[in-house]
Amino acid sequence: MARLSLSECNPKELSPLTLAFVGDGVYDLLVREELVCSANRPVGQLNRLKVEIVRCQAQAKMYNTIEPFLTEEEKDVFKRGRNAHTAHTPKNASSAEYHLATGLETLFGYLYLSDRTDRIRELFKIYGENGGFFTDKETK
C-alpha cells in the first residue's frame, strides 16, 4: 500500500495533532479492511466490531503491545502525540488511554505520510500475532 494522495507532504513539519488526524483515518481504514477480509458479515455487525477496535482503550492496548518493537524514532513520534495538549476530554476512557491512543494515531499518521506503509502493516501484524484485534466472540 502506498499513499493515496499525490500531494507532497513533510510529516516532520506537521504538528502531532495533525499527524493524529491522519493516523486516525489510516488506523480506521486498516481495521475496516481487516474486518471485511476476515469474514463476510452484515454491515451493522462490521460497524459494531470496528467501533470496539478503534476506541481509545483498544488503541492504548495496541500501543502497549507494539511498544517493545518500536524504533527510537517511532517512540519519539509517539511521545510527541501522547504529550500533545488537546482540548478534548474522553467520555468513556481514562485520560491516560486517550493520550496513548493519540500517540498511536500520531505514529500512524507520521508513518503513512512518510510513505512507510509497510511498517504500519508490520505493526498491525505484530499486534495481531500477540492477541490483538479479535476475540472469539468478535469473530463469531
Side-chain angles (χ1 to χ4, degrees), residues 39-100:
N40 191 12
R41 300 178 172 100
V43 174
Q45 184 181 14
L46 288 169
N47 191 58
R48 282 189 299 279
L49 291 169
K50 188 241 352 161
V51 168
E52 283 299 308
I53 297 170
V54 301
R55 63 191 176 110
C56 292
Q57 296 91 334
Q59 289 183 353
K61 180 182 171 192
M62 179 178 187
Y63 173 73
N64 288 326
T65 302
I66 67 170
E67 188 272 333
F69 302 94
L70 298 179
T71 66
E72 287 306 313
E73 176 191 20
E74 291 166 346
K75 288 178 185 178
D76 289 344
V77 170
F78 164 81
K79 287 176 187 174
R80 284 182 54 217
R82 181 196 62 198
N83 297 336
H85 177 69
T86 64
H88 180 72
T89 304
K91 285 191 271 184
N92 299 315
S94 70
S95 180
E97 289 169 328
Y98 183 77
H99 286 285
L100 287 174

